[in-house]
Amino acid sequence: MLDCIESRSGNALPTTGRPEPATLDACLRLLRQHRVLPRLIRARSGYSAGGLALRVSLRGYLDSPDCAREFNDRIRYVLECNVPLTIALTDAGHDGVAADATAALEAFCNTLREALRSSGADRNLIGTSIRSHVMPLQAYLVITSLLGKGPRYVVLDCLQMQHHADLRVQAMSDANWLELWHRRQSACTVQAVYGECVRSHCSLLADEKTASVLPALAMPVPVESAWFPVELFLPDFADARGHLNMPAVRKTLRACLEVNERLTPQLYWASETQDLDSRSNNRIAVLLTGIGDLVAARGMQAAEIHSLRWADSIVRAVQGELLHVSREMVRNDDILPSLLQSDPSNAWHNSEQQHKWSIRWRQTLQVEAVRHRNLLVLSPYSVLPRDGRCSPDFTDLLPVLGHADAVSFCKTPTFANWNVNDFSRFHRRAWAVIKHGNPREHIAAQV
């Protein structure tokens, strides 16, 4: 479904498409030299990135034939462009009644399937997401199979992550954990995702609510946001004993941001809103993986506090370098448009006060301005060694997630030798770190 332009084996795919071949070749060559894996998509109109994150009100869709027709046409167009998408399913029922929700979802899936039947579009490019307590997960998987074999996500929130005095709610939470556990390696999987917002480490930019899932990284994001995703696997920059070559890492991070400047303006985006977001926010998703692999290679005990401190120092250094380069790039390029738009004095009518504020705003911009709204992406799974032999002790490395601007859930591990309690504890702790977003507090408490 997703075509990576380059694999770690170094085999580049044909470079046909919207970007000029010389430009694309140069960008890929630079990324190859720096051992970076870009997540580009072969779209009909050229190369795209990330896929499209959408949202639909099931009740609005079912109650309005015009809305349904417009939505169907839009989905058909995106699929014909060969762009994967995720549809976040909202407003499924009345007052949390599961029977209403399942009936609404079934009607939606049947209607959309019929609308796409004659188009020849690949329905396997359609992913869906739903919040965890809307309906039983088995029903969600069975009904959405009407749309094809695309990914299925369940958004875990506080109802799923906390203990409840309400026995009905607690029973559904327990059933969800069991379903997620048993289906983690089955043919019909459902992926757990969570994260209520994406952040920027620029103090002048507000956090943004997530509402759907970006296909390329299984990452909760704002609807129709545009991202350039790349993956950096830390062990590629270390020796067999886990000693990291940080100068090489820094050079690679700079290369990622430089390639983003050259390549992103030439990418195809599946909607006008996504195209506008690309120009306004210039989001790059540098997915940092292999943290647990490095800890294991160094022979460190994952449950010991010095292991967490060491891993945290690495992630913090990566975050700091990305932010430094992004600020440095502002000197040579136009400032991020969303930063200019965030100036509250834009709507003021008092010209004297507006002038005084603008002076202070420009002074702050000289220090705080960035070229990218979002930079660093982490996954809870990045703290687990990829050989599948990790113990639940690696859960103690999860506080590093507090440095992330956004959170990815791609490449779900097997969780070999774990049990459902270890599995649910892992996700609950990851959720708590992401929700509070300050790893220093967790390190001080030796969580």
Side-chain angles (χ1 to χ4, degrees):
M1 180 174 67
L2 298 180
D3 291 319
C4 294
I5 295 302
E6 181 185 13
S7 69
R8 285 200 175 85
S9 64
N11 296 322
L13 297 176
T15 55
T16 58
R18 184 178 175 183
E20 291 295 327
T23 301
L24 183 56
D25 284 343
C27 290
L28 294 179
R29 186 163 54 250
L30 182 59
L31 293 177
R32 180 166 56 247
Q33 291 169 354
H34 288 278
R35 290 160 286 183
V36 173
L37 181 66
R39 301 295 189 93
L40 300 187
I41 299 162
R42 253 197 222 98
R44 184 186 67 181
S45 301
Y47 281 109
S48 187
L52 183 62
L54 293 175
R55 176 175 56 185
V56 65
S57 163
L58 297 187
R59 286 296 166 188
Y61 177 96
L62 297 172
D63 291 344
S64 172
D66 290 339
C67 288
R69 190 178 307 108
E70 181 180 347
F71 185 81
N72 294 343
D73 290 343
R74 188 175 191 195
I75 299 300
R76 185 183 300 109
Y77 169 77
V78 174
L79 295 181
E80 289 174 350
C81 291
N82 200 41
V83 173
L85 60 102
T86 304
I87 304 172
L89 307 165
T90 67
D91 193 22
H94 296 106
D95 301 322
V97 178
D100 287 351
T102 54
L105 179 58
E106 185 172 7
F108 167 78
C109 290
N110 276 319
T111 304
L112 181 57
R113 182 181 64 169
E114 288 301 314
L116 298 175
R117 186 183 296 276
S118 61
S119 69
D122 184 1
R123 288 187 285 117
N124 292 327
L125 294 175
I126 301 175
T128 60
S129 71
I130 199 166
R131 299 188 80 85
S132 57
H133 283 66
V134 173
M135 67 181 68
L137 296 189
Q138 287 184 339
Y140 166 60
L141 289 172
V142 169
I143 295 171
T144 53
S145 66
L146 294 168
L147 296 178
K149 299 179 180 180
R152 301 293 177 256
Y153 305 102
V154 55
V155 181
L156 308 185
D157 55 19
C158 60
L159 285 177
Q160 187 62 37
M161 297 299 192
Q162 299 175 3
H163 183 79
H164 300 278
D166 186 322
L167 296 181
R168 182 185 63 84
V169 175
Q170 187 59 45
M172 190 168 187
S173 294
D174 294 340
N176 285 341
W177 285 124
L178 280 173
E179 192 71 19
L180 290 167
W181 171 251
H182 289 308
R183 288 192 180 273
R184 71 193 188 284
Q185 293 295 305
S186 69
C188 184
T189 61
V190 57
Q191 294 175 254
V193 298
Y194 38 89
E196 294 294 323
C197 68
V198 297
R199 302 186 302 170
S200 173
H201 278 82
C202 174
S203 61
L204 300 177
L205 292 170
D207 293 350
E208 300 169 281
K209 292 287 290 182
T210 61
S212 189
V213 179
L214 190 75
L217 295 182
M219 182 172 78
V221 295
V223 168
E224 297 191 66
S225 52
W227 301 74
F228 177 60
V230 297
E231 181 181 350
L232 189 153
F233 184 55
L234 282 175
D236 286 344
F237 302 85
D239 61 22
R241 293 180 296 177
H243 295 140
L244 197 61
N245 183 347
M246 277 307 297
V249 172
R250 290 190 176 95
K251 288 181 181 178
T252 295
L253 296 173
R254 180 176 292 274
C256 289
L257 270 58
E258 289 175 350
V259 168
N260 171 72
E261 291 298 302
R262 296 168 58 187
L263 188 56
T264 299
Q266 303 180 72
L267 294 177
Y268 164 78
W269 302 104
S271 75
E272 291 182 4
T273 301
Q274 198 178 35
D275 181 63
L276 176 61
D277 184 78
S278 175
R279 288 182 275 113
S280 297
N281 290 306
N282 197 23
R283 307 175 195 269
I284 184 169
V286 180
L287 175 60
L288 190 70
T289 59
I291 299 168
D293 298 87
L294 283 184
V295 170
R298 293 172 66 89
M300 304 172 76
Q301 299 300 312
E304 294 183 0
I305 189 63
H306 71 86
S307 300
L308 173 57
R309 285 176 175 151
W310 179 83
D312 180 79
S313 69
I314 299 300
V315 177
R316 188 161 14 96
V318 169
Q319 177 202 55
E321 183 66 15
L322 285 169
L323 190 57
H324 168 74
V325 176
S326 183
R327 284 174 173 163
E328 187 179 82
M329 294 176 75
V330 172
R331 302 170 188 166
N332 301 317
D333 297 287
D334 293 335
I335 196 167
L336 192 66
S338 59
L339 261 177
L340 297 177
Q341 296 161 8
S342 66
D343 183 350
S345 70
N346 288 337
W348 293 2
H349 300 293
N350 186 316
S351 59
E352 182 179 354
Q353 291 298 322
Q354 185 183 44
H355 177 68
K356 291 179 180 179
W357 175 268
S358 294
I359 293 175
R360 296 179 61 187
W361 183 261
R362 287 194 296 271
Q363 291 173 341
T364 305
L365 281 179
Q366 290 178 356
V367 178
E368 293 291 326
V370 291
R371 182 63 184 148
H372 312 82
R373 184 167 190 140
N374 312 103
L375 292 160
L376 180 62
V377 174
L378 294 172
S379 167
Y381 307 139
S382 67
V383 306
L384 306 178
R386 290 191 176 186
D387 61 10
R389 295 177 295 177
C390 65
S391 74
D393 287 348
F394 282 86
T395 297
D396 289 336
L397 300 177
L398 284 171
V400 301
L401 295 177
H403 293 295
D405 293 344
V407 186
S408 166
F409 295 87
C410 62
K411 299 182 180 178
T412 306
T414 62
F415 292 100
N417 302 319
W418 292 36
N419 58 43
V420 65
N421 292 326
D422 296 329
F423 176 79
S424 63
R425 190 178 301 114
F426 173 86
H427 283 297
R428 283 171 172 148
R429 290 185 68 179
W431 176 81
V433 172
I434 294 165
K435 183 176 177 62
H436 295 291
N438 187 351
R440 295 179 183 177
E441 294 178 3
H442 300 281
I443 291 173
Q446 298 192 20
V447 173

